Amino acid sequence: MQVKPIEWCDTTIRILDQTRLPSEVVFLEVADYVEMAAAIRGMRIRGAPAIGVAAAYGLALGAQAIEARTEEEFLVKLGTISRELASTRPTAINLFWALERMNRAAGEGFALRGSSPKGSTISEIKAVLVEEAKRIERENEEADRRIGRLGAELIEYGFTILTHCNAGALATAGYGTALGVIKAAHEQGKQIKVIACETRPLLQGARLTAWELVEEQIPVTLITDSMAGHFMNRGRIDCVIVGADRIARNGDVANKIGTYSVAVLARENSVPFYVAAPTSTIDLSVKSGAEIPIEERSPEEVTWIGLTRIAPEGVEVANPAFDVTPHQYVSAIITEKGVLKEPYEEGFEGFVLKTISQ
Ligand code: MRU
């Protein structure tokens, strides 16, 4: 089964509402960019690469509705839509990467078509934006499959792999990064097993990773986040693989809150800790993880589980959605361009990546 978290349907965008999983499989028709911004903010679509694809499609959809007489007017309106989409979530760099790529495609499109009559140029650029968003989606999926193949080389027959949060098809363009490695190893017949941390507070591990792996018939055992150390200490985990929301120039990795604790436990117990992410998740403009903005989400995500309040009224709550794992804890970063080890900065420079402006 191939899960498609997002699909372009010409006049709308279809997204799988991840807040309803696993109880219900519900698709939403997103009709304009304002609805797309709300869907990203409300985590109906989430996971760094999927957020990038959603923003790209949101911008392409918004562009179709722009009424402009000149190229300049079109670009000003496109900029307003871009800023709205960029304001949805601050940590995953893929969001800004995708929007920058889309805006560049529009600018280059106008430059190339400069000589044709203006009205037709604007409608051509609207088509260019749809094509660019589709290309971003396609390239993301190709990158995932390559990450899967390269990462699977690190997985031995019979391994038990611990993962945190959801870095599967739901979080990407449809295959997965950390779960892409797991799927590739499974497809190669390596008889692997997965231990999935539930991932408080929003339970992406319990709701999404467990759902995807059950659907794929890959053996999975769900644990609470606080059980990870116990299983490592008992020798029950062969390696950890997680995704990433942003990787700094020095190799520090921002990922779902709780990842840092898993990495420290992995080091303490001599368990390799791998990060799987496309190169679009690497942000050369931040020197270290200390510079990565960490999203603070609403207290209700912590004080409530589903429809049940679990904490007293009036209690103070902190809810950082991500943490940073220092590069020293990362055994390797698996990208579509290769598997990197320390020193990460040198490896990233070899990829000749562009710096993303936000
Ligand atoms: O808050 P979320 O659910 O968007 O966070 C998702 C994660 O932290 C994932 O691990 C990360 O984006 C990698 S997805 C391939």
Side-chain angles (χ1 to χ4, degrees):
M1 186 210 58
Q2 169 82 26
V3 181
K4 265 282 170 212
I6 183 161
E7 215 176 326
W8 175 260
C9 303
D10 291 330
T11 52
T12 57
I13 302 159
R14 194 165 176 257
I15 60 169
L16 175 53
D17 185 349
Q18 299 190 30
T19 62
R20 310 278 285 270
L21 286 171
S23 342
E24 292 172 301
V25 178
V26 176
F27 289 90
L28 300 175
E29 297 289 330
V30 173
D32 59 38
Y33 79 90
V34 177
E35 280 183 28
M36 182 55 92
I40 298 172
R41 224 176 249 121
M43 292 176 66
R44 298 186 187 284
I45 183 152
R46 34 65 52 204
I51 292 171
V53 175
Y57 276 140
L59 188 60
L61 192 61
Q64 306 311 304
I66 292 179
E67 287 179 13
R69 281 179 308 279
T70 64
E71 168 189 328
E72 291 71 30
E73 197 189 343
F74 180 85
L75 288 175
V76 166
K77 290 184 173 172
L78 196 69
T80 306
I81 301 172
S82 275
R83 280 190 295 281
E84 171 65 18
L85 289 162
S87 70
T88 51
R89 297 196 71 191
T91 304
I93 190 66
N94 310 62
L95 173 72
F96 309 101
W97 171 87
L99 289 172
E100 179 158 315
R101 211 175 123 163
M102 293 289 287
N103 280 294
R104 204 180 320 125
E108 287 172 2
F110 278 122
L112 272 174
R113 290 166 179 77
S115 52
S116 58
K118 283 285 191 247
S120 69
T121 310
I122 287 175
S123 60
E124 278 171 37
I125 298 307
K126 290 181 179 181
V128 163
L129 286 168
V130 175
E131 283 317 305
E132 188 66 7
K134 287 184 178 170
R135 199 170 301 121
I136 287 173
E137 182 188 3
R138 205 168 47 241
E139 286 176 10
N140 258 287
E141 189 174 345
E142 285 163 7
D144 278 7
R145 289 190 185 271
R146 210 169 142 67
I147 287 169
R149 277 197 300 279
L150 292 172
E153 289 172 20
L154 301 167
I155 309 299
E156 290 174 26
Y157 185 89
F159 258 23
T160 297
I161 303 163
L162 182 139
T163 191
H164 187 74
C165 194
N166 172 267
L170 290 167
T172 64
Y175 188 69
T177 53
L179 289 197
V181 174
I182 286 168
K183 282 182 197 171
H186 175 76
E187 283 157 17
Q188 292 168 5
K190 286 192 169 161
Q191 303 288 321
I192 51 144
K193 293 194 184 93
V194 178
I195 294 202
C197 294
E198 65 172 349
T199 319
R200 278 279 290 150
L202 291 183
L203 305 173
Q204 287 93 332
R207 294 187 304 104
L208 309 177
T209 295
W211 181 76
E212 273 194 42
L213 294 176
V214 167
E215 291 286 319
E216 297 272 349
Q217 300 187 353
I218 298 175
V220 56
T221 302
L222 179 64
I223 62 170
T224 66
D225 299 338
S226 52
M227 295 174 189
H230 165 78
F231 283 97
M232 289 191 209
N233 183 255
R234 291 286 162 107
R236 302 266 300 273
I237 312 285
D238 296 297
C239 72
V240 175
I241 310 181
V242 295
D245 286 83
R246 197 186 294 217
I247 301 174
R249 182 181 272 275
N250 68 347
D252 289 354
V253 174
N255 192 49
K256 180 52 55 196
I257 193 76
T259 303
Y260 170 54
S261 316
V262 171
V264 173
L265 286 166
R267 171 58 52 91
E268 170 69 15
N269 290 284
S270 306
V271 172
F273 178 90
Y274 300 125
V275 173
T279 48
S280 49
T281 305
I282 300 166
D283 182 0
L284 294 183
S285 74
V286 298
K287 285 199 288 298
S288 78
E291 293 172 31
I292 297 177
I294 300 293
E295 179 181 8
E296 184 74 26
R297 292 190 61 90
S298 85
E300 287 72 28
E301 291 180 356
V302 176
T303 53
W304 290 75
I305 296 184
L307 298 175
T308 309
R309 188 174 178 106
I310 56 156
E313 295 280 356
V315 68
E316 267 199 36
V317 173
N319 186 15
F322 301 95
D323 59 25
V324 171
T325 298
H327 59 95
Q328 299 90 322
Y329 290 95
V330 179
S331 312
I333 299 179
I334 308 157
T335 76
E336 79 281 13
K337 296 194 179 176
V339 177
L340 294 177
K341 296 196 173 174
E342 295 268 25
Y344 292 109
E345 187 163 348
E346 273 177 28
F348 296 159
E349 276 162 9
F351 292 165
V352 199
L353 300 171
K354 286 209 170 80
T355 303
I356 301 145
S357 50
Q358 286 161 66

